């Protein structure tokens, strides 16, 4: 079944193609209006159709290995699958990888180092999932250890926990773990401020209490570290190195390659708006590039440097529909590019351009080359960059993506 690669970012309108789930309904580029309102309406229609036709698994292929089919079936029926990022990792020492599913936010909608929803493992025809409650995790590759690392903030204290798990007979089981809490004995500052600034002008004392095991046995810091290291050698811990959006992880599970593996890119230098760039790509038979994996970013970065266009600001195929609406799905999807570390300066911003009382959000995506570390990032800009930055004349462009190499 032919698929178009789609952007899986909350609040993003990719005018080139609309995919709502792994391998599900595709809308041709000639059917899509470039206005955000039309795209949003089409997304709602597709979402409703997929809810009504949720029974069939997308990748039903008798030649697939069993674990692949099971993972694909799981993703095909998982609520909110398009809002997550995914990574294949090896926790135990067999040849079937575990599938990590990441939200990017904790339960309080605060950006964290990782907001893991679940890690799946498959053994002897049985799927089992570990749910670390949207907290960060590290693991020891092929060492059969994974550690749920979480931090919580109370009114007057900060708590940290380390809980270690392993795979035993195909099931996730607890190994051991503990936690510690720290608080500042001060009446002048809150604990958070005291821990952050440690101002010598204030009379306070930092208190840290360690507990270990199911009985919450009180231990010293040295004992805590020793017990943790005995079951989880911290020097060997790592985090997932590569995350993917839904379409890419489905393609990798099935074929070994990301959905964009055979795509071609054209770097065009032209002083246009984002809307004009989108139309021009569709007229060429492609669409504004939707960058959804580290591999794809690397290919485009290599092309930017090879063509000596590192000083050009390129429009790419996404723009914001909603900005940080707390409690909505838009918020979850906004983090996917953060998980992939694509953002310039480390994260989303709400930059506004203002002139003569007019205000506009920089809610269109561009790709820029950062000379300091010689890599490409995504950033936000106006639809018409020259309106605010006349000096950019001659240094604006766009990237067209084509589904085939020729």
């Amino acid at each position: 079944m032919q698929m178009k690669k789609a952007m899986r970012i909350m609040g993003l309108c990719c005018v080139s193609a609309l995919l709502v789930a792994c391998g599900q309904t595709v809308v041709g580029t000639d059917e899509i209006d470039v206005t955000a309102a039309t795209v949003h309406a089409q997304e709602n229609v597709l979402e409703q159709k997929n809810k009504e036709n949720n029974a069939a698994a997308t990748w039903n292929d008798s030649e697939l290995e069993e674990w692949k089919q099971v993972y694909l079936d799981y993703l095909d029926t998982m609520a909110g699958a398009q809002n997550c990022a995914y990574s294949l990792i090896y926790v135990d020492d067999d040849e079937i990888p575990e599938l990590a599913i990441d939200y990017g936010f904790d339960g309080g909608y605060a950006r964290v180092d990782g907001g893991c929803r679940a890690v799946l493992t498959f053994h002897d025809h049985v799927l089992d999932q570990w749910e670390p409650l949207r907290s960060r995790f590290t693991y020891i590759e092929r060492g059969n250890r994974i550690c749920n690392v979480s931090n919580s903030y109370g009114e007057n204290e900060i708590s940290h926990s380390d809980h270690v798990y392993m795979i035993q007979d195909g099931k996730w089981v607890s190994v051991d773990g503990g936690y510690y809490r720290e608080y500042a004995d001060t009446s002048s500052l809150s604990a958070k401020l005291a821990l952050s600034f440690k101002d010598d002008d204030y009379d306070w004392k930092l208190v840290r209490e360690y507990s270990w095991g199911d009985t919450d046995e009180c231990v010293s810091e040295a004992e805590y570290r020793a017990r943790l290291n005995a079951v989880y050698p911290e020097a060997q811990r790592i985090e997932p190195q590569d995350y993917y959006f839904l379409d890419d992880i489905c393609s990798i599970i099935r074929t070994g390659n990301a959905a964009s593996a055979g795509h071609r890119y054209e770097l065009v230098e032209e002083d246009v708006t984002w809307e004009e760039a989108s139309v021009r790509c569709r007229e060429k038979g492609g669409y504004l590039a939707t960058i959804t994996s580290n591999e794809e970013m690397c290919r485009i970065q290599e092309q930017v440097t090879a063509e000596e266009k590192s000083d050009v600001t390129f429009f790419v195929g996404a723009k914001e529909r909603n900005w940080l609406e707390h409690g909505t799905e838009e918020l979850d999807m906004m983090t996917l590019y953060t998980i992939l570390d694509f953002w310039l300066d480390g994260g989303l911003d709400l930059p506004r351009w203002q002139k003569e009382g007019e205000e506009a959000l920089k809610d269109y995506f561009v790709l820029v080359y950062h000379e300091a570390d010689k890599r490409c990032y995504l950033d936000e800009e106006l639809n018409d960059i020259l309106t605010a930055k006349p000096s950019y004349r001659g240094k604006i462009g766009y990237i067209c993506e084509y589904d085939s190499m020729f």
Side-chain angles (χ1 to χ4, degrees), residues 184-186 189-199 204 206:
D185 181 12
T186 174
L189 291 174
S190 69
K192 280 187 183 181
L193 289 176
L195 291 171
S196 298
F197 297 108
K198 299 183 179 179
D199 196 324
W204 60 273
L206 178 64

Side-chain angles (χ1 to χ4, degrees), residues 3-4 6-8 17-27 39 42-51 75-76 78 80-83 246-247 333:
M3 293 177 57
K4 278 200 178 210
M7 185 81 73
R8 293 297 176 208
L18 290 178
L19 304 179
V20 291
C22 183
Q24 293 178 345
T25 308
V26 178
V27 178
V39 173
Q42 290 171 329
E43 287 179 325
N44 289 336
V45 171
L46 291 174
E47 182 179 359
Q48 183 60 37
K49 287 183 178 179
N50 284 313
K51 287 181 179 178
L75 295 176
D76 193 54
M78 186 181 89
Q82 69 273 19
N83 300 349
L246 182 62
D247 289 323
M333 290 184 72

Side-chain angles (χ1 to χ4, degrees), residues 228-243:
L228 178 59
N229 199 60
V231 296
Y232 188 73
E234 293 188 272
Q236 301 176 33
R237 65 185 178 183
I238 62 172
E239 296 182 352
Q241 301 301 302
D242 293 300
Y243 276 101

